Amino acid sequence: MANNTKKIIRIRKGINGFPFSICNEKGNWIANIHSTKEAYDLYRYETKHGILKIKKETTLYPANAENCIVSAKDIVRTQL
């Protein structure tokens, strides 16, 4: 990595019937997930190599929670 800044994703309260949502650094929604383990599995390589840090904020909802119905299996890593 050229710079030493870590990217951060946040695990927040889920929407549309999902228990959790993955959000970017600013709290904007990326995907819905069924468990926190699903987020850790999805970003295993990035967290293992220190590229990404996962923060749990389960008391907050995503900042842009409207019309977010995609599950984590449908996202692409480049959306960070």
Side-chain angles (χ1 to χ4, degrees), residues 55-74:
K55 287 189 175 183
K56 291 183 185 177
E57 297 177 344
T58 55
T59 58
L60 301 172
Y61 283 100
N64 59 342
E66 64 280 345
N67 299 322
C68 303
I69 56 172
V70 179
S71 70
K73 293 176 184 172
D74 299 328

Side-chain angles (χ1 to χ4, degrees), residues 7-16 18 20-34 38-39 42-43 46 52-55 61-80:
K7 291 191 178 214
I8 298 172
I9 63 166
R10 302 173 189 280
I11 298 175
R12 292 190 169 182
K13 278 187 183 180
I15 50 177
N16 297 325
F18 285 86
F20 302 101
S21 290
I22 299 174
C23 301
N24 66 6
E25 295 173 359
K26 296 179 181 178
N28 294 322
W29 178 86
I30 297 174
N32 290 319
I33 54 175
H34 293 286
E38 194 173 346
L42 187 64
Y43 296 106
E46 290 86 347
L52 182 77
K53 183 174 181 179
I54 298 176
K55 287 189 175 183
Y61 283 100
N64 59 342
E66 64 280 345
N67 299 322
C68 303
I69 56 172
V70 179
S71 70
K73 293 176 184 172
D74 299 328
I75 68 167
V76 179
R77 281 196 165 94
T78 56
Q79 289 182 331
L80 292 174

